[in-house]
Amino acid sequence: MADAALSVQNLWKVFGPNAEKLIGTPDLELSRKELQAKSGHVIGVRDVSFDVAPGEVFVVMGLSGSGKSTLVRLITRLIEPTSGTVMLGEENLTTMDEEKLREVRRKRVSMVFQHFGLLPHRKVIDNVSFGLEIRGEDKTRRRARAQNMVDLVGLSGYEQNFPDQLSGGMQQRVGLARALANDPDILMFDEPFSALDPLIRRDMQNEVIRLHHEVGKTMVFITHDLAEALKLGDRIMILRDGAIIQIGTPDEVVAAPADDYVKDFVSDVPKSHVLTLKWVMRPPANSEEGIGAPTLPDTTIVRDAARTVLATDGLVRVVNAQDEFVGVVDDEDILRVVVAEEG
């Protein structure tokens, strides 16, 4: 992708004393277990390539040990890749010297971790402005920016509180505000809500969606939770044993799983909440079929389309992004999905 915000190409991470010498050898075709038994090396990330578009929420998902947290650390070079390239816009992060890399981390990439990492002796406003302080911005400007971010994440009135006076969800909001204060090109989230209670976690997911709509930042979001991935992601990349199993939109992952591993992952997903009309429509018999009937985009979620379709005596026409007539649906098509998931 020529105009990608982030481009990762052929990225490997092999842990062990002679990792670089293994690149390009047949040994890397071995499974993790076989390679470890043969050479004592462990593959953390295996030949991973993907692009993230500007403004996209790109979710990296996998179980524990799949390589997702290693990947996000490779992208920011918190650990060094064994081989491959990471491009942030036009800049190659993998060849940067330490000084340039520090500059990128301060100004262009912000991270939000599961453990909030707030400074306990600093008030909320000072935690949020800390990155700007490190960058050397004057106090008036950084305080004004920090206040804007505090307001944006819904913490107005808590500026003078210390972190231990806040709930877990509120502390994570401080982390979000601090990440946004730097006005980065990309926000990286490494399982940020895993330690939160389910209701607070849901609220924070909604907060990320709201903030994305308001500020439009490119986001890379790491999670082991499928429901979270489906809720947040414009696209989802599923990892297993450090390798990519599938990349697709939420509806593609649910409707067309790449293998049995992904199929098992998505087996309990309420499909009417994820599938779009693209996956349930039928080809039109002719260009006149259903003429005069209501029209819906093929990107409409089945659940959202149900009211229109069930209220229509007959067909609903489906159009694509170019407003071309591409299919029809009726109440049976909708109910087939709903009944299947209840069964």
Side-chain angles (χ1 to χ4, degrees):
M1 188 186 298
D3 58 348
L6 176 71
S7 182
V8 174
Q9 298 299 319
N10 307 116
L11 197 64
W12 287 85
K13 180 60 183 179
V14 182
F15 295 97
N18 297 303
E20 287 81 4
K21 293 180 181 178
L22 288 176
I23 299 298
T25 70
D27 280 356
L28 289 186
E29 299 298 320
L30 300 173
S31 70
R32 271 185 174 179
K33 191 174 182 179
E34 290 168 337
L35 181 67
Q36 188 168 9
K38 180 177 180 180
S39 68
H41 291 78
V42 176
I43 296 176
V45 167
R46 182 190 292 268
D47 198 19
V48 165
S49 298
F50 63 92
D51 291 332
V52 181
E56 182 177 23
V57 180
F58 188 86
V59 175
V60 180
M61 197 207 125
L63 299 178
S64 179
S66 62
K68 57 190 186 301
S69 289
T70 299
L71 177 62
V72 79
R73 284 161 173 76
L74 289 171
I75 290 171
T76 53
R77 274 184 60 196
L78 292 174
I79 58 176
E80 292 293 331
T82 306
S83 71
T85 58
V86 178
M87 301 291 294
L88 183 61
E90 298 297 318
E91 296 196 80
N92 190 336
L93 269 65
T94 40
T95 58
M96 282 183 182
D97 60 33
E98 283 297 323
E99 184 178 351
K100 179 67 174 172
L101 191 58
R102 279 195 297 271
E103 189 77 0
V104 166
R105 289 174 184 156
R106 286 175 183 170
K107 294 186 176 179
R108 298 191 61 192
V109 178
S110 288
M111 293 198 68
V112 182
F113 296 99
Q114 176 180 338
H115 303 291
F116 317 126
L118 303 180
L119 302 169
H121 59 287
R122 288 191 168 220
K123 296 176 181 178
V124 166
I125 194 75
D126 298 313
N127 266 283
V128 174
S129 65
F130 183 67
L132 300 175
E133 183 180 339
I134 294 296
R135 271 161 49 172
E137 296 204 14
D138 70 79
K139 188 171 184 178
T140 302
R141 285 188 63 188
R142 68 177 186 252
R143 277 298 181 100
R145 174 72 179 169
Q147 185 62 57
N148 287 341
M149 295 304 102
V150 166
D151 296 341
L152 183 65
V153 301
L155 286 177
S156 304
Y158 291 93
E159 295 86 350
Q160 300 305 313
N161 287 64
F162 289 96
D164 64 2
Q165 297 173 310
L166 305 177
S167 68
M170 292 171 77
Q171 288 184 44
Q172 195 57 287
R173 286 174 188 264
V174 178
L176 271 174
R178 181 178 59 190
L180 287 164
N182 290 348
D183 194 23
D185 295 337
I186 293 183
L187 280 165
M188 300 269 191
F189 297 84
D190 189 7
E191 302 214 49
F193 309 141
S194 295
L196 300 178
D197 292 337
L199 288 177
I200 299 173
R201 183 172 186 159
R202 185 183 66 189
D203 288 345
M204 291 306 301
Q205 291 165 355
N206 291 336
E207 187 69 7
V208 167
I209 292 169
R210 182 185 70 82
L211 288 171
H212 184 253
H213 287 156
E214 290 198 21
V215 299
K217 293 290 182 188
T218 305
M219 298 180 177
V220 176
F221 197 102
I222 309 296
T223 184
H224 66 271
D225 186 286
L226 178 63
E228 186 166 76
L230 294 171
K231 182 174 183 177
L232 297 178
D234 293 318
R235 285 188 301 149
I236 299 166
M237 180 170 77
I238 298 175
L239 293 181
R240 182 182 63 208
D241 294 338
I244 296 173
I245 304 302
Q246 185 168 4
I247 298 177
T249 59
D251 58 310
E252 288 170 344
V253 170
V254 171
D259 64 6
D260 288 341
Y261 178 78
V262 181
K263 190 175 182 179
D264 286 344
F265 251 131
V266 304
S267 60
D268 294 329
V269 172
K271 292 182 171 51
S272 67
H273 294 210
V274 181
L275 295 186
T276 61
L277 293 182
K278 168 186 170 183
W279 298 99
V280 301
M281 68 185 186
R282 290 169 282 128
N286 55 66
S287 61
E288 302 300 314
E289 188 177 15
I291 197 80
T295 300
L296 290 172
D298 62 0
T299 53
T300 309
I301 302 291
V302 168
R303 179 182 59 175
D304 298 336
R307 179 173 294 181
T308 299
V309 176
L310 296 177
T312 301
D313 185 18
L315 300 173
V316 168
R317 289 163 66 93
V318 182
V319 296
N320 63 16
Q322 291 74 45
D323 206 32
E324 298 165 337
F325 176 38
V326 291
V328 294
V329 290
D330 60 19
D331 53 359
E332 287 189 14
D333 299 313
I334 298 299
L335 291 172
R336 194 176 297 117
V337 177
V338 175
V339 170
E341 68 191 22
E342 288 178 352

